[in-house]
Amino acid sequence: MILYFTGTGNSAYVAHTIAKETGDSVLSLNERIKNGSMEGISSEQPLVVVVPTYAWRIPRVVSDLLTQIHFNGNKKAYFVLTCGDGIGAAEKYVKKLCKEKELEFMGCAPVVMPENYIAMYAAPPKEEALKIISKSEPTIEDITKKIKERVSLSNQRITFGGRLLSGIINSFFYTFFVKAKGFYVTDSCTSCGYCVRACPLNNIRLEDRKPVWGKECTHCMACICGCPTKAIEYGKNSKEKVRYQCPEYPMK
Ligand SMILES: Cc1cc2nc3c(=O)[nH]c(=O)nc-3n(C[C@H](O)[C@H](O)[C@H](O)COP(=O)(O)O)c2cc1C
Ligand code: SF4
Ligand code: SF4
């Protein structure tokens, strides 16, 4: 079974691309998180977890969810991390999670996809994004082949720098950067409610027909990148930037 979490579609695209070849069923963790469902997961096939990289680790909302869910059936677990650049020492933490859950760790592989973190960096325009996605195809094919053959993904080389990024910098990032208070809405808002539906953490509500953000945010970028009228900004950081959604897996 393929489990995915996504903010802007990259990981959903990779999950469905793998599923097309393996014939596995696909389950959205966004829906699980949104509905607060902790129902156990039973799968005869290995688990394949496809998620974005947040500060050189799997998203905290995903590790928290996986910790709470009971897994039945096949104990093999593969992790595929879509990223804009690199995953640091994410593998170390995923291995630990597998040990806690009594899952057999089958490897953790990065897939470089277009950057989506527009609260901090810039996302590429559509043509450039399509080139990056096309370049990722051999990596996705290789991962899929290994999953089908039930062999481990190659071990990632874990460097001292990677350990720092996935360790102390990851904690620093969640403490100081992952906040919803930077979000605001402009007059272009049409009160369509898309952002409310898209937020996996139910962190957005409409008040007087305008979105208001609560404190439960994981910076997934689904709201700001998915707003059909580009009415959402994040401080000054998002001004004039491309709103990214995976062109191969539009989220609407
Ligand atoms: C909060 C946040 C943190 C991120 N941290 C990293 C990172 O540490 N390394 C990296 O290469 N990309 C990072 N990115 C980029 C995403 O991992 C990448 O664009 C991913 O494919 C987005 O997947 P999605 O479209 O499924 O949400 C980050 C993006 C966000 C929103
Ligand atoms: S998605 Fe955009 S237009 Fe729709 S309610 Fe949210 S901010 Fe307004
Ligand atoms: S508020 Fe926006 S960025 Fe934060 S979790 Fe919800 S959709 Fe993602």
Side-chain angles (χ1 to χ4, degrees), residues 180 183 195 198-204 213 216-224:
F183 287 115
C195 52
C199 177
L201 298 183
N202 296 314
N203 190 45
I204 308 175
W213 283 261
E216 298 299 318
C217 177
T218 192
H219 267 196
C220 73
M221 303 291 112
C223 55
I224 189 168

Side-chain angles (χ1 to χ4, degrees), residues 6-191:
T6 192
T8 59
N10 287 348
S11 309
Y13 164 72
V14 173
H16 283 98
T17 306
I18 296 173
K20 244 186 253 163
E21 279 299 310
T22 59
D24 282 354
S25 52
V26 179
L27 187 134
S28 159
L29 296 180
N30 291 52
E31 280 171 29
R32 279 292 186 109
I33 293 166
K34 200 163 173 71
N35 303 332
S37 166
M38 297 299 156
E39 200 184 315
I41 289 179
S42 183
S43 172
E44 283 179 18
Q45 311 303 324
L47 292 172
V48 181
V49 181
V50 188
V51 291
T53 308
Y54 289 174
W56 303 278
R57 298 249 292 261
I58 69 170
R60 207 175 260 185
V61 280
V62 173
S63 47
D64 287 351
L65 179 74
L66 297 181
T67 303
Q68 292 178 66
I69 289 181
H70 184 72
F71 294 100
N72 259 330
N74 200 310
K75 290 288 175 188
K76 292 187 192 306
Y78 291 89
F79 287 80
V80 180
L81 272 66
T82 70
C83 61
D85 180 32
I87 67 169
E91 176 170 325
K92 178 181 156 193
Y93 298 89
V94 163
K95 257 186 191 162
K96 202 167 147 221
L97 178 69
C98 285
K99 203 168 172 202
E100 279 166 24
K101 302 299 298 179
E102 296 180 346
L103 292 168
E104 183 188 347
F105 176 70
M106 295 299 287
C108 173
V111 176
V112 174
M113 292 287 284
E115 176 65 57
N116 75 339
Y117 197 14
I118 66 164
M120 249 190 197
Y121 308 110
K126 188 172 175 186
E127 285 313 305
E128 204 183 308
L130 284 167
K131 281 187 197 153
I132 298 169
I133 294 170
S134 151
K135 247 176 110 178
S136 74
E137 273 168 23
T139 309
I140 302 173
E141 273 168 25
D142 182 56
I143 291 169
T144 308
K145 186 168 172 278
K146 288 184 169 137
I147 293 170
K148 279 172 92 173
E149 291 169 355
R150 306 284 188 262
V151 297
S152 294
L153 306 175
S154 3
N155 273 343
Q156 289 291 297
R157 203 171 64 87
I158 296 184
T159 61
F160 176 70
R163 277 180 203 278
L164 272 185
L165 292 171
S166 304
I168 215 163
I169 306 290
N170 177 278
S171 304
F172 184 83
F173 170 77
Y174 274 98
T175 309
F176 296 106
F177 286 91
V178 185
K179 310 247 183 272
K181 65 179 183 202
F183 287 115
Y184 64 94
V185 69
T186 67
D187 291 343
S188 313
C189 173
T190 58
S191 314

Side-chain angles (χ1 to χ4, degrees), residues 118 122-126 225 230 238-245:
I118 66 164
K126 188 172 175 186
C225 284
K230 300 184 175 57
S238 58
K239 290 260 181 208
E240 313 292 331
K241 283 184 186 168
V242 165
R243 273 28 183 180
Y244 177 77
Q245 289 228 318

